[in-house]
């Protein structure tokens, strides 16, 4: 089975712009979670989608949003980018709630 | 709220030596526990997990971990490290959130360096 894929792998944006990241889960997985990884804050949970519904949310401002499509693919959007949004954004999928999460390679976002 | 502590930020081990990475968690009920490994520029790979049952868990790449409820610990061990084990290791706890679903909380990671 193919693993979790994320596109793009690298991205450079400037402050004030918005960005959309994409995640395709492992085939058959219905849950997709997003995490932000930075050197200062470590790995932080953003949100989780299951069957197109947001089921869980971390402590991030409203500039961070997401959605999930009927084929379980998910997108994450960050509006009005700030320098501090520079990070590795990781997506993880799992078959169902309380199953193991499998991570993709991440999208590295640099905000200038 | 649940939390995970990895007290060692960086560990250096000689190739062939044994390894133990420490992890302590805080959670009111029985947690789900995980160890993930991350190589530079890569995502996270699951090494092993504990949900219930036998407290000594075997994982991939020769790693094992032991769940000790009395010490709130889930330390990762390997009897003999290889140069390819150099990476960052994350311990995580999965616990019920306010939304009724389980989410992962990660420790800050331990960076492992292997010397010849």
């Amino acid at each position: 089975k193919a693993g979790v894929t994320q596109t793009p792998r690298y991205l450079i944006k400037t402050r004030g712009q918005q960005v959309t990241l994409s995640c395709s889960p492992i085939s058959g997985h219905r849950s997709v979670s997003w995490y932000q990884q930075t050197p200062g804050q470590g790995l932080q949970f953003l949100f989780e989608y299951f069957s197109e519904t947001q089921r869980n949310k971390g402590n991030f401002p409203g500039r961070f949003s997401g959605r999930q499509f009927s084929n379980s693919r998910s997108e994450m959007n960050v509006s009005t980018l700030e320098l501090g949004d520079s990070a590795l954004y990781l997506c993880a999928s799992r078959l169902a709630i309380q199953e193991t999460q499998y991570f993709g390679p991440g999208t590295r976002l640099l905000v200038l | 709220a649940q939390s995970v502590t990895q007290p060692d930020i960086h560990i250096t081990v000689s190739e062939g030596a044994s390894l133990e990475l420490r992890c302590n968690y805080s959670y009111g009920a029985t947690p789900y526990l995980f160890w993930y490994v991350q190589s530079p520029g890569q995502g996270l790979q699951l090494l092993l997990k504990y949900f219930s049952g036998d407290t000594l868990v075997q994982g991939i790449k020769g790693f094992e971990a032991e769940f000790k409820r009395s010490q709130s610990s889930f330390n990762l061990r390997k009897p003999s490290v290889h140069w390819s084990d150099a990476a960052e290791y994350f311990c995580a706890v999965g616990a019920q959130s306010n939304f009724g679903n389980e989410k992962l909380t990660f420790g800050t990671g331990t960076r492992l360096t292997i010397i010849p």
Side-chain angles (χ1 to χ4, degrees):
Chain A
K1 255 187 196 177
V4 178
T5 58
Q6 292 186 245
T7 56
R9 291 293 310 278
Y10 304 93
L11 206 48
I12 300 176
K13 292 285 187 179
T14 55
R15 278 182 300 173
Q17 287 187 311
Q18 74 164 13
V19 68
T20 299
L21 312 182
S22 180
C23 172
S24 292
I26 292 171
S27 177
H29 286 195
R30 296 167 63 192
S31 165
V32 173
S33 296
W34 289 90
Y35 293 82
Q36 181 196 63
Q37 186 178 24
T38 60
Q41 300 297 318
L43 276 153
Q44 293 186 287
F45 172 77
L46 280 156
F47 30 66
E48 178 174 19
Y49 287 85
F50 184 79
S51 295
E52 301 178 65
T53 302
Q54 187 180 90
R55 299 291 181 142
N56 217 338
K57 188 175 183 301
N59 298 321
F60 278 82
R63 299 185 297 108
F64 292 81
S65 63
R67 59 177 175 169
Q68 187 180 32
F69 302 95
S70 58
N71 62 358
S72 294
R73 190 178 70 85
S74 176
E75 288 183 346
M76 189 192 90
N77 184 274
V78 188
S79 62
T80 319
L81 284 165
E82 301 177 0
L83 295 179
D85 297 333
S86 295
L88 180 67
Y89 290 89
L90 293 165
C91 164
S93 77
R94 53 182 168 176
L95 195 59
I97 303 297
Q98 295 181 338
E99 293 287 335
T100 300
Q101 294 191 35
Y102 294 90
F103 284 80
T107 293
R108 187 165 295 280
L109 172 65
L110 177 62
V111 182
L112 302 176
Chain B
Q2 66 272 16
S3 65
V4 178
T5 302
Q6 293 181 249
D8 303 307
I9 295 173
H10 185 201
I11 284 183
T12 300
V13 176
S14 298
E15 190 169 14
S18 63
L19 170 71
E20 181 168 28
L21 302 182
R22 295 183 291 166
C23 172
N24 291 95
Y25 69 90
S26 173
Y27 184 58
T30 299
Y32 301 148
L33 294 163
F34 306 82
W35 275 99
Y36 285 89
V37 61
Q38 185 178 36
S39 298
Q42 301 298 312
L44 300 172
Q45 181 182 22
L46 178 69
L47 284 175
L48 46 79
K49 61 188 178 186
Y50 172 78
F51 281 4
S52 65
D54 193 347
T55 57
L56 185 62
V57 181
Q58 301 298 320
I60 62 171
K61 303 184 180 186
F63 286 94
E64 68 176 26
E66 187 171 12
F67 170 58
K68 293 185 177 180
R69 184 189 302 274
S70 61
Q71 298 176 20
S72 297
S73 69
F74 189 57
N75 294 348
L76 182 71
R77 300 193 294 250
K78 186 170 185 177
S80 175
V81 298
H82 185 261
W83 64 266
S84 60
D85 293 325
E88 186 134 23
Y89 291 79
F90 293 91
C91 181
V93 60
Q96 290 292 320
S97 73
N98 292 335
F99 294 86
N101 295 322
E102 168 232 331
K103 67 171 186 175
L104 288 179
T105 299
F106 285 89
T108 50
T110 297
R111 184 157 59 94
L112 176 65
T113 298
I114 308 294
I115 56 176

